[in-house]
Amino acid sequence: MQIKLNNPLDMHLHLRDGEMLETVGPLSADSFSGAIIMPNLLPPITDKASLLGYKQRINSAIGDRDFTLYMTLFFKPDYSRDFLLSIRDELTAIKLYPAGITTNSEGGLSGFDIDELRPILTTMSELNIPLCIHGETNGFVMDRESEFVPVYEKLAKNFPDLTIIMEHITTKASVDALDKYDNLYATITLHHLLITLDDVAGGMLQPHLFCKPIAKRYEDRDALQKVALEAHPKVMFGSDSAPHPQDSKECPGCAAGVFTAPIALQALAELFDKNDKLNNLQAFVNTNACRIYNIIPTEKTITLEKKPFVVPDKYGTVVPMFAGQELSWSIV
Ligand code: DOR
Ligand code: ZN
C-alpha cells in the first residue's frame, strides 16, 4: 500500500547552524516541502542581517533540494513598526519564548503585560505577522503549559486580529482552548502524539525522549491524538525536531529536544494508518498549515509505502527517536 503526500510541511523546526545544520538540513529537505525555522540560535535571530545570513547558510546546507524556508525572528517587545515593515517580506512569523524556559531562550520575555505588549502586537496584527508562542510558565514542570493557557486566552482576547500559534501543545487544557478563540491555532509534534511521561521517566530514564514541554499524561496524549487524527482545522504538524549531539543528551544535565525530522512522516503514516485515518494525514501535514499561514509551498510529492523501515542508530552525531527500531511505513 502506498500514499502520496503533497507538499508536506513541518511548521516548527530547529535546524541549528554549522556542522549540525549540514547534517540535519538535508534530512528535513528530503522529507518535507518546507518548514518554519526556529530562531533560537546563539545569539538568537533578531535582525534582518542575521535572518538573511541564516537563511543563506540553510540554503547552502540543503543544496539543490526544493525546500521552502519560512523564517522567523526571536520575539523582542521593542521591535519597531519600521523594522517589521523592512523585514516583512522575509518573515513568516515571530517566535516568543518566555525567558529561560528552554534551549537558548535566555533573551526571551519576562512577564506578559498587555499594555507593554500592545504596540508590537498591534503592529503584528496589522502586518499579518503570526505570533508563535512557547507557552510555559516557570511553575511545576507538569503544570507549566496548563498554567500558561490563561496567558494565551488574554492575548487572544486582547488582540483578536493577531494569529496566535500555541506551539507544540502537550495538554488537554491547550486542546480545549483552541475552540474558544477564533485566532488561536496549534502545532503538535510527533513525539507528543506518541509518548507520555511514562516513556520518558517511568522506567530507565530515556534522554532522547526528554524535551520541553515534557510529555504529559495519557489523557493529554489522547486529546492530542484526537484533534490530530481528525485533522481539526486549527492544528498543524510541527515536529519541534530539536537535534543535540549524543554527548549532550547522554550525560548529566541532558539537553531538551527530540530529533524526529527524518522519521516523522513514516511514524505519522504508521499512527494514522493504525487508527484508520490516513485520509486525514494530508490536512494535518499540509492543508491546515497552508490555510492558517496563507502560504503556498514548493511543489513536492512524497510517497510513503507500507514497508518496514529500520530507523538508523544515528544521523551524524544525533540519535533520532526510535533509533534502531522498525517502523511499518517508509519513504519511497
Ligand atoms: O525540547 C526542546 N528543545 N524544546 C524547545 O522548546 C527547544 C528545543 C531546542 O531548541 O533544543
Ligand atoms: Zn521548538
Side-chain angles (χ1 to χ4, degrees):
M1 179 166 52
Q2 288 194 344
I3 58 163
K4 287 190 190 309
L5 292 176
N6 289 325
N7 314 336
L9 292 169
D10 182 347
M11 301 308 283
H12 183 132
L13 176 63
H14 297 270
L15 284 180
R16 314 302 192 202
D17 213 338
E19 244 176 78
M20 183 62 90
L21 169 60
E22 301 290 328
T23 303
V24 303
L27 296 171
S28 278
D30 283 340
S31 284
F32 291 91
S33 173
I36 296 265
I37 309 300
M38 288 296 135
N40 62 330
L41 303 183
L42 271 181
I45 307 288
T46 54
D47 60 59
K48 191 169 179 176
S50 57
L51 183 141
L52 292 178
Y54 187 35
K55 186 175 181 185
Q56 201 189 337
R57 295 195 297 284
I58 300 171
N59 271 323
S60 92
I62 64 180
D64 57 9
R65 296 168 182 83
D66 284 329
F67 188 64
T68 312
L69 300 175
Y70 297 106
M71 302 304 290
T72 63
L73 276 177
F74 189 100
F75 183 89
K76 291 280 180 190
D78 54 358
Y79 288 142
S80 70
R81 185 183 180 87
D82 283 350
F83 167 66
L84 291 178
L85 271 173
S86 76
I87 200 170
R88 179 68 193 97
D89 290 349
E90 295 294 341
L91 190 65
T92 302
I94 298 182
K95 173 71 186 285
L96 187 157
Y97 291 91
I101 203 69
T102 188
T103 312
N104 303 345
S105 63
E106 289 67 26
L109 189 68
S110 330
F112 286 82
D113 182 308
I114 291 291
D115 290 329
E116 198 187 318
L117 293 172
R118 194 168 298 283
I120 178 157
L121 297 187
T122 303
T123 303
M124 287 175 65
S125 308
E126 288 167 4
L127 301 181
N128 279 322
I129 302 172
L131 177 66
C132 301
I133 304 183
H134 182 122
E136 288 194 284
T137 66
N138 49 20
F140 176 62
V141 68
M142 286 295 278
D143 298 335
R144 287 178 188 174
E145 184 176 299
S146 50
E147 285 174 2
F148 196 88
V149 169
V151 180
Y152 280 131
E153 298 197 334
K154 185 164 81 168
L155 293 171
K157 260 189 236 166
N158 277 274
F159 303 97
D161 297 326
L162 180 66
T163 295
I164 300 171
I165 320 282
M166 303 189 283
E167 293 294 335
H168 43 53
I169 58 171
T170 61
T171 58
K172 181 171 184 309
S174 297
V175 170
D176 291 343
L178 267 180
D179 286 328
K180 290 199 204 148
Y181 300 90
D182 285 350
N183 54 334
L184 273 188
Y185 302 87
T187 55
I188 303 180
T189 73
L190 171 72
H191 45 287
H192 294 121
L193 286 172
L194 296 179
I195 66 172
T196 69
L197 186 61
D198 267 354
D199 297 288
V200 186
M204 301 242 277
L205 190 65
Q206 300 300 321
H208 299 291
L209 299 180
F210 172 66
C211 63
K212 299 290 177 65
I214 194 100
K216 303 289 188 313
R217 297 176 172 79
Y218 291 87
E219 56 268 34
D220 295 308
R221 187 184 61 178
D222 290 348
L224 297 173
Q225 281 198 7
K226 183 167 184 296
V227 283
L229 289 167
E230 79 184 25
H232 182 297
K234 297 178 87 181
V235 305
M236 319 165 254
F237 176 63
S239 71
D240 198 14
S241 179
H244 293 275
Q246 184 172 18
D247 61 2
S248 307
K249 295 288 287 177
E250 298 176 7
C251 63
C254 165
V258 183
F259 181 57
T260 54
I263 61 109
L265 289 180
Q266 300 90 323
L268 283 174
E270 180 173 309
L271 174 69
F272 278 64
D273 182 23
K274 273 190 188 149
N275 288 278
D276 261 330
K277 295 288 183 194
L278 273 177
N279 285 346
N280 289 340
L281 187 53
Q282 177 68 31
F284 184 56
V285 300
N286 167 273
T287 329
N288 288 352
C290 290
R291 190 186 59 254
I292 294 165
Y293 272 91
N294 195 20
I295 52 175
I296 303 173
T298 306
E299 280 297 322
K300 183 188 273 187
T301 302
I302 299 289
T303 305
L304 288 149
E305 184 173 16
K306 195 164 184 179
K307 181 178 149 200
F309 162 56
V310 178
V311 176
D313 291 332
K314 276 207 222 178
Y315 292 91
T317 61
V318 192
V319 177
M321 189 181 186
F322 296 130
Q325 297 179 43
E326 189 176 289
L327 298 176
S328 54
W329 283 76
S330 46
I331 292 182
V332 175

